[in-house]
């Protein structure tokens, strides 16, 4: 039964607009996004013209003390390490964080304000990715997660490694997001 519902939802998502797809668009979108999104990027990729470095940190409020803020952890470096020497890297390791950030930007704009249910869902999705990775990295408990995204220009072809790193074009600091006590 689940297979039939899944195939029906995906069909309504990719089919031209019709009365049925318009009537059930909210339910179809809730099922399809973000895990089953359909697009043409496999056949016509649109490579990024900038490099993004996503960093995250945690905060924990002590029982009788101030909030303790952890160090920044480079989530993008974790992805890069998972892919670098792997002859068959997973699609998830390559694109999960990058696509989550792109969807967050598409739904929130520059002011980090969610204006739709999809925007709220993308914020939770990005927050959960960061919280899961930080929980695996630290092993500790925390109540808040904050992201910082550095947008860097792509190095010119022929640039030798080790020269001065490019300066960030944008340094975006997101607000603190509340998570459950175990960080998930």
């Amino acid at each position: 039964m689940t297979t039939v519902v899944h195939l029906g939802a995906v069909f309504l998502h990719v089919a031209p607009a019709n009365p049925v797809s318009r009537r059930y668009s909210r339910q179809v979108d809730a099922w399809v996004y973000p895990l089953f999104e359909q697009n043409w990027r496999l056949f016509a990729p649109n490579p990024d013209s900038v490099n993004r470095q996503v960093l995250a940190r945690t905060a924990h409020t002590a029982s009788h003390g101030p909030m303790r803020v952890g160090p920044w952890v480079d989530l993008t470096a974790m992805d890069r390490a998972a892919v670098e020497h792997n002859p068959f890297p997973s699609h998830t390791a390559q694109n999960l964080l990058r696509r989550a950030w792109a969807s967050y930007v598409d739904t929130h704009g520059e002011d980090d304000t969610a204006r739709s249910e999809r925007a709220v869902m993308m914020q939770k999705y990005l927050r959960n990715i960061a919280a899961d990775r930080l929980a695996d990295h630290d092993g500790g408990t925390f109540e808040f997660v904050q992201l910082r995204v550095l947008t860097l220009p792509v190095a010119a072809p022929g640039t030798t490694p080790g020269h001065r790193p490019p300066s960030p074009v944008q340094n975006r600091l997101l607000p603190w997001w509340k998570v459950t006590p175990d960080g998930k």
Side-chain angles (χ1 to χ4, degrees):
M1 182 63 178
T2 304
T3 303
V4 172
V5 170
H6 173 72
L7 291 173
V10 171
F11 174 78
L12 288 174
H13 178 71
V14 298
N18 60 61
V20 176
S21 66
R22 280 190 289 272
R23 177 170 163 70
Y24 295 104
S25 66
R26 213 174 82 220
Q27 292 89 345
V28 168
D29 286 349
W31 179 260
V32 170
Y33 292 113
L35 299 177
F36 304 112
E37 180 180 3
Q38 303 293 305
N39 61 47
W40 288 96
R41 290 182 186 196
L42 175 65
F43 304 105
N46 183 13
D48 287 332
S49 58
V50 294
N51 290 321
R52 286 188 180 80
Q53 182 180 14
V54 180
L55 302 129
R57 66 180 174 177
T58 60
H60 175 68
T61 306
S63 57
H64 296 304
M67 183 184 301
R68 287 194 230 158
V69 176
W72 289 105
V73 175
D74 190 345
L75 302 181
T76 304
M78 289 178 179
D79 284 357
R80 216 174 285 123
V83 171
E84 198 165 276
H85 298 291
N86 186 343
F88 303 106
S90 77
H91 179 71
T92 303
Q94 296 178 54
N95 295 313
L96 182 72
L97 183 61
R98 183 179 62 82
R99 296 273 298 149
W101 175 251
S103 295
Y104 177 86
V105 170
D106 287 346
T107 58
H108 285 74
E110 294 293 322
D111 64 355
D112 297 313
T113 302
R115 293 185 176 85
S116 68
E117 288 181 37
R118 178 162 162 68
V120 171
M121 179 184 66
M122 292 316 304
Q123 180 176 326
K124 288 179 184 176
Y125 184 55
L126 186 59
R127 180 199 65 205
N128 289 344
I129 291 169
D132 284 345
R133 292 190 184 181
L134 291 168
D136 291 344
H137 182 265
D138 293 346
T141 60
F142 50 91
E143 290 92 34
F144 299 95
V145 170
Q146 185 178 36
L147 295 181
R148 176 178 166 205
V149 181
L150 301 174
T151 303
L152 306 163
V154 174
T159 304
T160 56
H163 280 77
R164 204 176 81 202
S167 58
V169 174
Q170 183 183 31
N171 183 356
R172 187 166 173 179
L173 186 65
L174 276 60
W176 285 100
W177 291 332
K178 179 94 170 116
V179 294
T180 58
D182 64 354
K184 304 245 179 190

